Amino acid sequence: MKKVLSVTSECVPLIKTGGLADVAGALPGSLEAQGWHMRTLLPAYPGVADKAGAAEVVFAFDDLMGGRARVLAGSEAGIDVLALDAPHLFDRAGGPYGNPTDFPDNPVRFAALSFAAAQIAAEGLSDNWRPDVLHAHDWQAGLAPTYLRLNGVTDVASVMTVHNIAFQGLAPAAMLGTMALPLSEFTSDKLEYWGQISTLKAGLVDAGAVTTVSPTYAGELMRGEFGMGLEGVMAARAGDLSGILNGIDMDVWNPATDAQITAYSATSLKGKATNRKALVSEFGLSRITGPLAIVVSRLTSQKGMDLIAATAHQFVEAGGGLAILGSGDPVIEDQMRILARNNPGKVGLRIGYDEALSHRMFGGGDVVLVPSRFEPCGLTQLYGLRYGTVPVVAATGGLADSVIDHNIMAQTAGVSTGFQFHPIDEMGLSQCLRRVIAQFSDKSGWTRLQKRGMKQALGWEASSAAYAALYEKLTDERRSST
Ligand code: ADP
Ligand code: GLC
C-alpha cells in the first residue's frame, strides 16, 4: 500500500479547536479504502501520547529547535498516530496555540513539527516506514515542503492544504535562524511576506500541489477580497491548485443512531419533533411560533456572528426563535448576551464549547444559520443537511458548494436543499430569513426540503478519491522525472 504522512496541529479525537481537526481525523480512514496508508504526525500536547498509547520510539532528535525530541508511534480511533514528543515546545497548558493569547514561540514550535516531518520523509522511521507523499495542513505545517527541498529530498511528493488563509504563520525575520532557515530563503519568491516570514507562503510556493477545502474557495483565494495578501501567490499556482470539498463523519453525525437525541431518518421525521420540543425546553424558548434556528459556531466576524446579532430581532418578531452555542470574540459574546436578554423566551444562549449539546441542537433545530463572510468549507451546514436542519448560508466558499438555494428554478426542478444569501450583509441575511419564515409555513414543501438535504452524499468517499488521485498524479510525476 502507498504511504502518506499527514502533518497537522490538530486531529480528532486527540485535540480539536476547529474543523481542521475533523478533517485530519477523517482522512486516514477514508484514504485506506483508496489504497493509501496515512500516518498522522502531530505534537504531543499534554495527554496526547497517553491517549494514543504512543510509546514506541520511531525517530529521535538530539536537538530539535532547542531540546531533545522523539517521535512516538501509537494509534487511536483507527488513526496511526505519530506524536512528536518535544517537551520544551509542546508540554504546556493552554491549548495547542496558547489561550487567551498565542504563545510567542509558536513559529518555532510549528517549524519544529514541519522540520520533524521533513526528516521523517528524508530518512524514514525506525519501523521501516517512509512516505511517498507528505501532506501538510495549514501554516503550522507550511514549512515542511520547504525543509524537504532544503534537505534535497526529491523522491517524496508534497501537498499543501489551506483550511483558512486568514492564518498565515507570520514571524519576524529575526527568527529565521531559530527556525533553521537560511537567509537565502527570505525573498519574495519564497517565504518572505511584507518583511516577515510566512510559513503558509513557504508551503504554497514549495508544495508539489496546493489544495483547499472547496472548489469555490479555491477560486476565491486568487482574488483580492479573499486572498488576504496571498492572492498573487495562489494565482501563480493556479495550475496546481484544486478545491476538494470536505466530508463529514457519517457515523458520528447520524440522526438514526445519535445517542444524544430521539432517533429519526429521512423516511420518518417523527423523532425530530420530539427533539425540537426537548430543545425548546432546554433553551427556554416558550414564545416561538415559527422556525427554530440554531447556531453552533466560533463567535467571530469571519462567521458573520455580528450579522446575526444585528438582524435577529426581525426574525424573532416574525415568530422565529434562536438557540446559540459558541464562544470567541468577547465583543460578539456580549452582543449575543444582550440579544438573549432582550428576547426572553425567543433567544437562548450558551457560551462555551459543548459537543453533546451541539448534537441535540442539530437534532431539534429547524434551520442552522451559517452567515460567514468567508468560509473555506464549513462543516455545520453539512451536519444540518444530514439532520434535516435546513441550512441558511452565505453564498461563499464551501457553503456555496454544498447547499442548493431554494430559488424558483430549484423549487421547480425539486433540487433545493437550503437557503443561500448574497450580499453577505445585514440586508442580505434579513431578506433571506424572511424567505425562510415564508417557506416554513408551507409544511409539506418544508418537509421535502428537509428530506432532500438528508439524502445528500456527505461522506468522505468522493473527497478521499480526489486526494488519492492527486497523490497518484504527484508520485507518477516524480517517478517519470527521476
Ligand atoms: P471552523 O473550523 O472555521 O471553526 P468548521 O465549520 O469547519 O469551522 O468547524 C467547526 C467545528 O467545530 C464543527 O465541528 C462544529 O460543530 C464545532 N463547533 C464550533 N463551535 C462549537 C461549540 N461551541 N460547541 C461544540 N462544537 C462546536
Ligand atoms: C477551517 C475553515 C473551515 C473548514 C475547516 C476544515 O477551520 O475555517 O471552513 O471547514 O478548516 O477544512
Side-chain angles (χ1 to χ4, degrees):
M1 199 176 264
K2 280 163 287 185
K3 293 163 284 182
V4 52
L5 177 66
S6 171
V7 190
T8 180
S9 59
E10 303 184 17
C11 182
V12 158
L14 294 168
I15 176 91
K16 166 169 171 175
T17 72
L20 163 62
D22 293 294
V23 174
L27 274 178
S30 59
L31 279 164
E32 196 81 14
Q34 306 288 339
W36 281 84
H37 178 61
M38 178 174 266
R39 291 179 98 172
T40 302
L41 179 72
L42 84 166
Y45 308 114
V48 162
D50 282 350
K51 198 164 173 198
E56 188 197 349
V57 181
V58 287
F59 206 96
F61 300 86
D62 290 337
D63 180 9
L64 180 66
M65 299 191 186
R68 291 174 87 84
R70 305 175 303 170
V71 177
L72 305 173
S75 80
E76 170 70 12
I79 300 161
D80 222 326
V81 174
L82 298 171
L84 179 60
D85 178 38
H88 60 298
L89 301 171
F90 300 122
D91 187 13
R92 43 179 106 156
Y97 316 115
N99 193 6
T101 47
D102 284 357
F103 297 125
D105 61 345
N106 276 349
V108 182
R109 298 170 75 228
F110 294 102
L113 176 72
S114 308
F115 189 87
Q119 287 296 118
I120 292 170
E123 297 172 26
L125 296 170
S126 64
D127 59 4
N128 288 323
W129 191 91
R130 188 169 175 243
D132 302 293
V133 176
L134 183 157
H135 189 159
H137 296 276
D138 272 352
W139 69 269
Q140 296 91 331
L143 284 172
T146 302
Y147 292 128
L148 275 186
R149 172 172 54 77
L150 293 171
N151 281 348
V153 179
T154 54
D155 58 348
V156 176
S158 60
V159 176
M160 177 79 232
T161 294
V162 180
H163 294 265
N164 191 337
I165 208 152
F167 304 106
Q168 305 185 338
L170 300 182
M175 286 177 98
L176 277 169
T178 337
M179 293 162 77
L181 293 164
L183 186 60
S184 55
E185 291 300 303
F186 197 64
T187 57
S188 63
D189 60 338
K190 293 183 179 160
L191 52 69
E192 186 268 349
Y193 178 79
W194 298 104
Q196 290 189 284
I197 298 165
S198 163
T199 62
L200 180 63
K201 183 177 173 189
L204 296 177
V205 171
D206 271 317
V210 177
T211 74
T212 186
V213 287
S214 68
T216 292
Y217 194 58
E220 288 171 343
L221 281 176
M222 293 184 275
R223 302 189 349 231
E225 312 97 279
F226 295 97
M228 304 205 176
L230 288 169
E231 58 275 8
V233 181
M234 298 302 303
R237 298 298 317 260
D240 307 307
L241 170 65
S242 55
I244 302 177
L245 196 70
N246 291 331
I248 60 172
D249 187 322
M250 297 292 270
D251 298 325
V252 172
W253 295 98
N254 181 356
T257 57
D258 191 327
Q260 286 296 324
I261 60 171
T262 301
Y264 63 95
S265 69
T267 35
S268 164
L269 285 166
K270 232 173 72 209
K272 188 157 177 72
T274 314
N275 295 322
R276 189 184 194 277
K277 278 202 196 89
L279 190 62
V280 161
S281 124
E282 185 166 4
F283 275 87
L285 302 174
S286 51
R287 295 172 58 221
I288 61 177
T289 53
L292 168 53
I294 63 160
V295 175
V296 177
S297 182
R298 292 190 280 122
L299 300 181
T300 64
S301 81
Q302 176 201 331
K303 299 289 178 182
M305 290 294 121
D306 50 315
L307 300 178
I308 293 182
T311 53
H313 58 281
Q314 292 164 6
F315 181 63
V316 300
E317 270 161 29
L322 256 178
I324 303 166
L325 167 64
S327 64
D329 180 343
V331 174
I332 298 182
E333 287 185 359
D334 278 346
Q335 288 174 349
M336 294 302 193
R337 285 192 187 97
I338 293 167
L339 184 68
R341 197 181 309 142
N342 288 347
N343 294 282
K346 293 183 171 185
V347 177
L349 173 67
R350 297 285 181 282
I351 297 286
Y353 187 92
D354 186 337
E355 249 162 62
L357 175 57
S358 76
H359 281 253
R360 296 196 292 280
M361 293 171 74
F362 283 100
D366 298 311
V367 307
V368 54
L369 294 187
V370 197
S372 311
R373 290 197 165 81
F374 68 94
E375 193 62 79
C377 178
L379 297 173
T380 57
Q381 83 282 11
L382 304 177
Y383 305 155
L385 289 169
R386 177 85 163 139
Y387 278 65
T389 308
V390 176
V392 176
V393 304
T396 187
L399 303 173
D401 289 331
S402 56
V403 175
I404 302 172
D405 181 52
H406 192 58
N407 58 40
I408 307 270
M409 294 305 281
Q411 284 175 42
T412 312
V415 295
S416 53
T417 58
F419 297 83
Q420 286 193 6
F421 68 92
H422 204 272
I424 308 172
D425 57 17
E426 289 174 27
M427 187 69 87
L429 175 58
S430 65
Q431 281 176 359
C432 185
L433 288 174
R434 248 177 258 140
R435 285 204 288 145
V436 171
I437 299 254
Q439 184 57 53
F440 188 71
S441 56
D442 164 12
K443 284 294 168 232
S444 61
W446 188 266
T447 306
R448 284 198 298 279
L449 190 56
Q450 288 179 296
K451 291 187 172 178
R452 270 198 301 274
M454 294 179 80
K455 290 177 187 152
Q456 298 293 302
L458 302 166
W460 273 97
E461 292 77 11
S463 308
S464 58
Y467 281 114
L470 179 63
Y471 299 159
E472 297 288 349
K473 177 172 164 274
L474 292 171
T475 46
D476 284 351
E477 281 169 9
R478 297 254 131 181
R479 259 193 298 279
S480 52
S481 70
T482 48

